[in-house]
Amino acid sequence: MLAKFAALLRTLALMLLLIAVAGPAFAGPFEDAVAKFTTDDFSDTEEAVAAIAASGNPLAYPIISALQDERLMFDADTKKVYIKQTDGKAMDAATGAPVDAIPDSASEVRLNNKLRRHVQAALGGLTLLSPKLETRISAARSVFKSHEEQALPAVESALAKETDGTAKAALQQARAAILLFKADVSEKEKLDAIAIIRSRGDQEALAMLNDIGADQPPSVAKAAASAISSIQSSLAMWSGVQNAWYGLSLGSVLLLAAIGLAITFGVMGVINMAHGEMVMLGAYTTFVVQELIRTRYPALFDYSLLIAVPLAFLVSGAIGVVIERSIIRFLYGRPLETLLATWGLSLVLQQAVRTAFGPTNREVGNPSWMSGAFELGQITITYNRLWILCFTLAVFAILLAMLRFTSLGLQMRAVTQNRRMAASMGIATSRVDALTFGLGSGIAGIAGVALSQIDNVSPNLGQGYIIDSFMVVVFGGVGNLWGTLVGAFTLGIANKFLEPVAGAVLGKIAILVLIILFIQKRPRGLFALKGRAVEA
């Protein structure tokens, strides 16, 4: 019995020895492909990528992904290839077995631009059948950009199985891009490919059609030229739409910054150079609210702006009332002194904020519902800008309702139209002035909440908007909210259409010149207020 057991052990040992000696000879195609990385030759690396991508081995994606991320290492002495994992560990690329450490003699597998395209296409092909829809769409778009022939079988296989409309369109575009540059393709297939790429209609499609060689058949060249012309026209139209959207976005910011100024300027006739600092105080209120939420109640971060809006209104409004009661009320009827006093006050407020919070920018985060963007046609719309536009229009509507349906609004309109008559009717004009200045400052504060989402929160935040706010108020008509609305959006859109032509600085100068010429013709702006006092 013992002799038989000993004989069995000798047989097993002999088999293990033969496997160890002849192991390399029995290595499979996958291991052979991985071993090609150790030659440090670009052509061998290209062949290895193609073979590994076609192998169907579960290690294919980790290997090619590591190659793209410059985490694939090889040891020329031992002919071993290693993957540096993102968690700091390492594994054998051929077997997937973990290793204690990558040898010091190991080197990084090199890539050139041609290989990077191959790697990108291979990764796209490997993820075309992912169970995640976003991954499949992203992979198809990656293949479209690289249009490598080796990805065609994977694209066609994925296209046959795809059921989602968006992913299917992306796969069709990827297949069309490959066929367009493939040599052995019929003229009809190239024409169909051009039609599909033309329907995509973006800059990538235009660049791809421009890259078609001059050796194409006449019908293909003609179809490509027609598609290029069509895409260029479409992109020019979408560029105008994008500029209009940017103009509306800028106009909403200007309206928020100017609407409070329109009230104080219209009712009180005060040129408040510290209005921008009320905007700044609202932004810093948002920063303080978010800091408290981050440190004590992190689960409430998505509600931070909803909490900051009323607080910013109260903080800025209260400071505005204090300013009016302590400084402004002694300077009515003296515009130059008022301008100088509020300008000096703006410097004091800026320095106070620098002392309290420091001179550097402060971080104010975007809640999840204001983060990201979506595409509409060929333009991109960010959620933060869209929400700011909606918020601005909501503030405008609430302010109109307040002026129309409340006793304070009635008194403010009366004082705006004829201060002496309003006083003779028993309206306490000094109280109206204080509340008006507080209201205008409070609205500037909530403008700061919105601006904190798209601009740097710093002591100089308000300075960038004060001049534009005055231009909006004067252009639209002093004290007229509808004029402020039209003026803000008009100047915002005009600015964004002039910038690509004249540049940012010259565009602003041109708008300033146009406003000066307009005011020469219509001194009261687009919509002048009616009333005995304002018409006098």
Side-chain angles (χ1 to χ4, degrees):
M1 184 70 179
L2 290 173
K4 289 182 179 180
F5 184 70
L8 180 60
L9 286 178
R10 285 195 298 272
T11 304
L12 288 173
L14 181 60
M15 290 176 63
L16 291 173
L17 179 63
L18 288 172
I19 290 172
V21 172
F26 291 105
F30 181 78
E31 290 80 1
D32 290 340
V34 173
K36 287 186 178 183
F37 288 124
T38 63
T39 65
D40 199 25
D41 182 83
F42 288 141
S43 59
D44 285 344
T45 301
E46 183 177 339
E47 292 175 7
V49 170
I52 290 170
S55 68
N57 192 295
L59 291 172
Y61 185 83
I63 290 173
I64 299 177
S65 177
L67 178 61
Q68 185 185 51
D69 297 340
E70 301 178 349
R71 294 184 289 106
L72 195 66
M73 311 293 291
F74 74 94
D75 189 342
D77 297 331
T78 61
K79 301 298 182 184
K80 290 281 189 179
V81 182
Y82 304 95
I83 297 174
K84 286 196 300 185
Q85 296 174 292
T86 54
D87 58 1
K89 298 179 181 179
M91 61 184 287
D92 188 312
T95 63
V99 297
D100 295 332
I102 298 175
D104 294 335
S105 58
S107 303
E108 182 183 299
V109 179
R110 296 180 303 140
L111 289 175
N112 57 18
N113 289 335
K114 181 182 178 182
L115 272 174
R116 287 188 180 90
R117 291 194 297 271
H118 280 289
V119 169
Q120 187 178 16
L123 283 175
L126 287 171
T127 53
L128 286 171
L129 295 174
S130 170
K132 294 183 178 180
L133 175 62
E134 298 81 5
T135 304
R136 299 200 303 273
I137 294 174
S138 177
R141 289 172 178 170
S142 177
V143 173
F144 177 86
K145 293 177 183 178
S146 62
H147 53 80
E148 294 287 341
E149 288 187 25
Q150 65 187 26
L152 183 59
V155 170
E156 290 181 333
S157 174
L159 188 58
K161 300 175 182 178
E162 187 57 65
T163 56
D164 181 80
T166 303
K168 198 162 191 174
L171 286 167
Q172 288 173 340
Q173 292 165 6
R175 180 177 181 275
I178 295 172
L179 294 177
L180 188 61
F181 290 91
K182 203 169 183 291
D184 53 342
V185 173
S186 67
E187 189 173 320
K188 182 180 182 305
E189 286 179 306
K190 284 187 178 288
L191 291 174
D192 292 340
I194 289 174
I196 292 173
I197 295 172
R198 176 178 182 167
S199 66
R200 180 179 173 120
D202 60 1
Q203 288 287 355
E204 290 179 354
L206 182 63
M208 185 169 289
L209 291 171
N210 280 320
D211 287 342
I212 295 178
D215 56 343
Q216 300 293 333
S219 61
V220 174
K222 183 179 179 181
S226 174
I228 288 171
S229 176
S230 174
I231 292 175
Q232 287 175 336
S233 300
S234 175
L235 288 177
M237 184 268 292
W238 280 111
S239 177
V241 174
Q242 183 80 74
N243 285 335
W245 163 248
Y246 287 153
L248 288 174
S249 177
L250 175 60
S252 66
V253 172
L254 292 178
L255 179 59
L256 265 182
I259 195 169
L261 189 64
I263 296 172
T264 57
F265 198 15
V267 174
M268 307 165 65
V270 172
I271 302 175
N272 180 20
M273 295 301 294
H275 185 77
E277 278 55 53
M278 301 297 107
V279 176
M280 174 196 67
L281 291 174
Y284 273 96
T285 302
T286 309
F287 165 71
V288 172
V289 168
Q290 287 198 350
E291 282 299 296
L292 290 174
I293 289 177
R294 281 193 184 101
T295 55
R296 299 185 182 182
Y297 313 101
L300 295 177
F301 186 79
D302 276 350
Y303 304 97
S304 59
L305 295 189
L306 300 179
I307 299 170
V309 166
L311 289 178
F313 180 84
L314 292 174
V315 169
S316 297
I319 292 175
V321 171
V322 171
I323 291 171
E324 196 279 335
R325 289 289 86 188
S326 61
I327 299 174
I328 303 296
R329 72 189 183 103
F330 300 108
L331 300 175
Y332 288 134
R334 297 153 65 184
L336 181 59
E337 287 88 340
T338 305
L339 187 148
L340 292 174
T342 53
W343 178 65
L345 180 63
S346 73
L347 300 179
V348 171
L349 291 173
Q350 287 181 47
Q351 190 56 47
V353 168
R354 284 192 185 94
T355 303
F357 297 98
T360 57
N361 295 342
R362 291 295 180 171
E363 179 187 357
V364 175
N366 291 99
S368 60
W369 48 275
M370 286 189 74
S371 302
F374 65 94
E375 292 183 356
L376 183 64
Q378 297 298 325
I379 67 173
T380 301
I381 297 177
T382 56
Y383 284 111
N384 58 355
R385 295 275 183 176
L386 181 61
W387 276 111
I388 288 173
L389 177 60
C390 297
F391 177 69
T392 302
L393 295 177
V395 170
F396 183 81
I398 292 171
L399 188 58
L400 278 180
M402 189 275 292
L403 292 175
R404 173 72 177 171
F405 299 111
T406 66
S407 60
L408 176 61
L410 179 62
Q411 292 174 10
M412 285 173 57
R413 286 186 288 134
V415 172
T416 301
Q417 294 183 11
N418 195 317
R419 175 178 292 270
R420 286 180 295 179
M421 182 64 74
S424 66
M425 296 296 293
I427 295 175
T429 56
S430 61
R431 173 178 169 275
V432 171
D433 288 337
L435 293 177
T436 300
F437 202 88
L439 177 63
S441 299
I443 293 173
I446 61 176
V449 178
L451 289 176
S452 69
Q453 300 299 296
I454 59 174
D455 207 341
N456 296 323
V457 177
S458 70
N460 300 320
L461 173 64
Q463 293 297 303
Y465 296 94
I466 186 66
I467 301 301
D468 288 337
S469 297
F470 273 110
M471 286 199 297
V472 167
V473 171
V474 173
F475 176 66
V478 176
N480 191 305
L481 293 185
W482 285 106
T484 305
L485 175 73
V486 174
F489 286 121
T490 301
L491 292 184
I493 293 173
N495 198 10
K496 289 303 177 182
F497 273 96
L498 282 174
E499 275 184 9
V501 179
V505 176
L506 287 178
K508 283 187 175 295
I509 293 173
I511 288 176
L512 178 59
V513 171
L514 290 173
I515 289 177
I516 292 172
L517 295 175
F518 177 81
I519 295 301
Q520 293 297 315
K521 187 72 175 175
R522 290 180 65 93
R524 296 195 182 115
L526 283 173
F527 302 95
L529 285 175
K530 302 294 183 181
R532 291 185 179 91
V534 297
E535 291 173 356

